[in-house]
Amino acid sequence: MIKKRLFPLLALLAAAPLVAAPRPWVSVAATAPKGSYVIGNPAARVKLVEYASYTCPHCGHFARESAAVLKGKMIASGSLSLEVRSAVHDRYDLVAAMLARCSGPAIFPRLHDALFAGQEQWLQRAQDFDSSNGQRLGMYAAAAQYRAMAQGAGLDAIARNAGMTQAAIDQCLADPKVAEAVVERANAISDKIAGTPAFEINGKLVQGIDWAKLEPMLRAAGAK
């Protein structure tokens, strides 16, 4: 009796089509032509670009307020992709953007989220460190300044927790080409936007709005 029941079951399983597991789009990233990263499905119907600064409180608020829907639903569903372009406001912002750029596609989504999730804490550390060491930092070479600021603000620890090795962090901060690329990209952005955060929805620039106003725009474009 057992064999008579087993064979039809095996035949049924063999004939059943294989269903691919859904991609974890929120943790999938690819490098864009200018060195920024695109998180999510590259074939998404809605392509959102965010111009953001890691030391911008409004950007931090947007990241935290939008996360449940923007990443938890729209990116996760594969209907929307998010490209993050760094606008640099100050030297600690530069260090954070350098680490984000160097992190690579596998680590960037985690590091990007962590920088905004802990923004208030590391910004306070940065301010405290700068008030005590700002003048002395000016005596250092650029690479030494970046390394000291990363340690003083706790940015190196955030990067390590996201998956970067200390060797990768040190190499990133010591490479003048990384800083030059970030600054060059930020300068190009500053000519395009009035402030951060700013967005593009399928190529159309949208500025001066918060998540409450952006969400219906994304849904109207096809994000789910």
Side-chain angles (χ1 to χ4, degrees):
M1 293 295 292
I2 295 177
K3 290 183 178 181
K4 289 181 180 180
R5 292 176 180 173
L6 180 59
F7 289 143
L9 177 59
L10 291 176
L12 179 63
L13 291 175
L18 293 176
V19 178
R23 293 290 302 276
W25 291 121
V26 292
S27 59
V28 173
T31 308
K34 296 289 187 178
S36 55
Y37 293 101
V38 180
I39 302 172
N41 179 7
R45 178 178 179 181
V46 181
K47 300 186 184 303
L48 176 66
V49 174
E50 179 183 359
Y51 297 92
S53 155
Y54 288 116
T55 58
C56 162
H58 298 295
C59 298
H61 178 73
F62 173 83
R64 293 185 291 272
E65 185 180 32
S66 67
V69 174
L70 181 61
K71 293 190 174 178
K73 295 183 179 179
M74 293 178 175
I75 294 177
S77 71
S79 64
L80 178 145
S81 65
L82 171 65
E83 179 182 349
V84 180
R85 298 179 184 174
S86 292
V88 176
H89 291 175
D90 54 70
R91 58 184 181 173
Y92 286 92
D93 201 359
L94 173 60
V95 172
M98 289 173 66
L99 292 172
R101 187 182 183 91
C102 292
S103 64
I107 295 174
F108 176 77
R110 293 194 301 275
L111 179 54
H112 177 72
D113 287 349
L115 287 169
F116 279 130
Q119 184 192 62
E120 293 181 358
Q121 290 75 28
W122 70 260
L123 270 182
Q124 185 60 58
R125 284 189 57 173
Q127 290 170 5
D128 294 343
F129 178 78
D130 214 57
S131 65
S132 301
N133 301 277
Q135 291 184 342
R136 179 170 58 87
L137 283 174
M139 302 170 61
Y140 295 173
Q145 288 188 42
Y146 299 150
R147 187 166 56 249
M149 287 188 291
Q151 293 173 349
L155 290 169
D156 57 345
I158 294 173
R160 285 195 302 271
N161 289 338
M164 290 185 74
T165 64
Q166 187 61 51
I169 293 170
D170 292 342
Q171 182 178 1
C172 175
L173 299 177
D175 188 348
K177 291 183 179 180
V178 175
E180 290 169 5
V182 172
V183 171
E184 181 181 2
R185 184 68 163 150
N187 286 340
I189 288 173
S190 67
D191 293 336
K192 185 173 185 177
I193 63 173
T196 54
F199 309 92
E200 286 182 19
I201 303 174
N202 290 337
K204 181 180 178 181
L205 184 64
V206 179
Q207 304 193 74
I209 64 171
D210 57 11
W211 171 241
K213 293 181 180 178
L214 182 64
E215 182 183 1
M217 293 181 180
L218 297 176
R219 294 197 181 279
K224 300 178 181 179

